[in-house]
Amino acid sequence: MPLVRKSRNNVTTWLIIAAVFCAGVYVLRSVLMPFVAGIIIGYLLDPWATKFQKTGMSRTWATITVILLVILILVPGVLLLFGLIDEQLGRFIVAIPDYLGSFSNKIEGVLVRLQDEIPGLQPEKIREYIRSNLANGFKLLGNLLRGLITSGFALANVVSLILITPIVAFYMLRDWDTFVAKVDDLLPQSSKKSIEQQAREIDRILASFIRGQLSVCVILGTFYAVGLYLVGLDLGILVGFLAGILSFIPYVGTISGFIAGMAIAFAQFDTWVPIAQVVGVFLVGQFLEGNFLTPKLVGDSVGLHPVWVMFALLAGGVLLGFLGLMIAVPVAAIIGVLVRHAIGNYKESSLYK
């Protein structure tokens, strides 16, 4: 009985700690994003800093070297990408009236054919419905952009993300081993081996999934952006890049990119050949992702089912916004490991046997 009571007290203590931690994250969600982003960057870059450290560098110089390499690689690419997107946005805004006219003409032709097939159809009501929804859609988009631009809170978040995240990432990367050692020293001695085993499994899953999925998103986004740009789709680079980045949510990136690309293609092109080419870009991208990129870079051994990942991302987004999306996969991996461990203990217990 004392052993059972002690076990229950331990479970109660851990549940209270978890509840307080979750409540703190929820209350402070608006200021945590740059710190969480810095921690994730430090975690992702830690293996590279360790490799430089093994060559004889100090941890500080290894950290500085890794961060400088990342800056030298990322900054020119980001500037080039923003330049191309800005040029495409300018062309797209100028061409909006032409797109609306082209879209209306194509819809008019479809309505005429439908009226021939369905005599009782009332095309005027359909035209009015389409005009009304197009106007409302552009009004909503304008209000959204205006809100993002004029929102001081959103601007403060962006500034804090740009300024604070690199600092947090530097210190987390430099002191990562020290931080891990201190956490390891605080673990309860009675269950230290079990916790370390679960932590290693969590680390394996996160390393396989996050680094692999990030590679998939970058490769897929580059493929979509280049493919749609070569097809001649306006905003093709932006649509393709966003489709690739959103691919960390299973199927969401491809589906949303396909819908946006087809809407622009339908309004922009007068023939079916370039529209079919846009379809082909997404079909090839989906084929490459499903048959080569995900199996090779992510693998099937991460222990995270796509449905579980999708649910975790959507739940995290609803509860904590963008911060929830950032921590959804690590939390899902931790929960998955803990559940598997609990099931293993249950199967070894007298209750199961």
Side-chain angles (χ1 to χ4, degrees):
M1 289 299 292
L3 184 62
V4 174
R5 189 178 298 111
K6 181 180 178 181
S7 177
R8 288 178 178 174
N9 290 337
N10 288 339
V11 171
T12 302
T13 302
W14 283 110
L15 288 176
I16 292 174
I17 293 173
V20 172
F21 176 78
C22 292
V25 170
Y26 184 77
V27 171
L28 299 174
R29 63 190 183 278
S30 61
V31 298
L32 285 178
M33 187 162 62
F35 297 95
V36 173
I39 292 171
I40 292 175
I41 292 173
Y43 172 76
L44 293 175
L45 297 179
D46 176 65
W48 294 99
T50 301
K51 288 181 180 179
F52 281 111
Q53 195 176 6
K54 288 179 179 178
T55 64
M57 286 186 180
S58 67
R59 184 70 184 188
T60 300
W61 278 109
T63 300
I64 293 173
T65 302
V66 171
I67 290 180
L68 286 177
L69 287 175
V70 171
I71 291 174
L72 289 174
I73 293 172
L74 286 184
V75 170
V78 170
L79 292 177
L80 177 62
L81 179 65
F82 280 172
L84 291 172
I85 291 175
D86 180 65
E87 183 264 337
Q88 288 205 329
L89 276 173
R91 284 169 42 195
F92 179 76
I93 292 172
V94 171
I96 282 178
D98 295 333
Y99 289 165
L100 290 177
S102 173
F103 188 81
S104 298
N105 291 335
K106 290 174 181 176
I107 291 295
E108 185 70 27
V110 173
L111 291 177
V112 169
R113 287 193 293 271
L114 286 176
Q115 191 174 18
D116 293 337
E117 298 290 335
I118 309 173
L121 185 69
Q122 296 179 329
E124 283 302 324
K125 290 186 177 181
I126 299 177
R127 292 189 189 97
E128 184 62 30
Y129 177 80
I130 293 174
R131 292 193 195 100
S132 174
N133 280 276
L134 281 175
N136 290 335
F138 278 103
K139 184 178 179 181
L140 178 64
L141 180 61
N143 291 334
L144 177 63
L145 292 175
R146 190 181 299 113
L148 289 175
I149 294 172
T150 59
S151 173
F153 183 71
L155 183 61
N157 277 338
V158 172
V159 172
S160 66
L161 190 65
I162 294 174
L163 296 180
I164 297 176
T165 298
I167 298 174
V168 175
F170 173 82
Y171 283 109
M172 288 302 303
L173 187 58
R174 190 193 67 176
D175 301 328
W176 188 267
D177 294 337
T178 304
F179 175 75
V180 172
K182 288 183 177 180
V183 172
D184 184 70
D185 187 58
L186 293 174
L187 296 177
Q189 296 298 313
S190 59
S191 53
K192 186 173 182 177
K193 289 185 178 180
S194 176
I195 295 175
E196 288 178 343
Q197 180 183 356
Q198 295 175 64
R200 284 192 293 269
E201 186 176 354
I202 291 171
D203 178 66
R204 179 187 62 81
I205 290 174
L206 291 181
S208 299
F209 186 87
I210 296 180
R211 295 187 180 110
Q213 193 64 42
L214 183 63
S215 300
V216 171
C217 291
V218 171
I219 295 173
L220 205 59
T222 303
F223 173 80
Y224 283 145
V226 172
L228 295 177
Y229 178 77
L230 293 177
V231 169
L233 184 73
D234 284 346
L235 292 185
I237 293 178
L238 179 60
V239 171
F241 181 73
L242 291 179
I245 296 302
L246 289 176
S247 293
F248 72 90
I249 307 176
Y251 307 110
V252 170
T254 300
I255 293 174
S256 59
F258 178 77
I259 293 173
M262 289 303 297
I264 297 173
F266 187 72
Q268 177 184 351
F269 300 119
D270 295 325
T271 62
W272 288 103
V273 173
I275 296 176
Q277 290 174 338
V278 171
V279 175
V281 169
F282 283 100
L283 289 178
V284 173
Q286 188 62 29
F287 175 80
L288 292 175
E289 178 189 7
N291 293 277
F292 297 99
L293 296 179
T294 298
K296 296 292 184 182
L297 298 176
V298 180
D300 299 325
S301 60
V302 295
L304 293 175
H305 194 278
V307 175
W308 174 234
V309 174
M310 196 181 305
F311 172 79
L313 288 166
L314 294 178
V318 170
L319 291 174
L320 300 174
F322 189 74
L323 174 65
L325 294 176
M326 293 174 64
I327 66 175
V329 172
V331 171
I334 293 171
I335 293 175
V337 171
L338 294 178
V339 168
R340 287 193 291 271
H341 181 73
I343 292 174
N345 288 341
Y346 163 69
K347 288 187 174 181
E348 294 295 327
S349 67
S350 57
L351 179 63
Y352 176 77
K353 294 181 178 180

